[in-house]
Amino acid sequence: HVEAAMVRKPKVVLPAEESARLRLVRYAVAAHPLTAGHELRPEDVVMRETGEGGVTGLEVAEMFGRRLTRAVLTEEPLRAGDA
């Protein structure tokens, strides 16, 4: 029974918690205007508490070196699939 108690269960975010969760997590946004086809580099990104969601620091790190599939405005959140 101890093993069953030690199993880590995924956190279920309740609808009432969602807006607070979005404010607490930092998301990657464009540091300056980026064109479609631009090779994403660390200096192109800043982390912000956007409230809009997007990709986290770990997720954006995997995007570095890839080309953007769309143009991204300054302070606009990057999304999964953008690179």
Side-chain angles (χ1 to χ4, degrees):
H1 299 310
V2 172
E3 290 82 12
M6 294 175 61
V7 172
R8 182 166 222 174
K9 296 177 184 172
K11 166 79 170 112
V12 175
V13 179
L14 301 175
E17 300 172 310
E18 186 64 25
S19 65
R21 184 189 70 81
L22 289 174
R23 285 194 307 272
L24 295 175
V25 176
R26 290 180 166 249
Y27 296 98
V29 301
H32 49 258
L34 303 170
T35 58
H38 175 80
E39 184 178 315
L40 192 64
R41 301 178 312 254
E43 57 268 25
D44 296 325
V45 176
V46 292
M47 302 305 291
R48 299 275 192 255
E49 294 171 1
T50 67
E52 297 178 40
V55 295
T56 63
L58 291 175
E59 294 166 328
V60 77
E62 295 176 7
M63 297 168 68
F64 294 146
R66 296 183 187 167
R67 301 221 174 257
L68 290 174
T69 58
R70 69 177 181 101
V72 185
L73 301 174
T74 303
E75 295 292 325
E76 183 179 354
L78 292 163
R79 308 262 180 227
D82 281 349

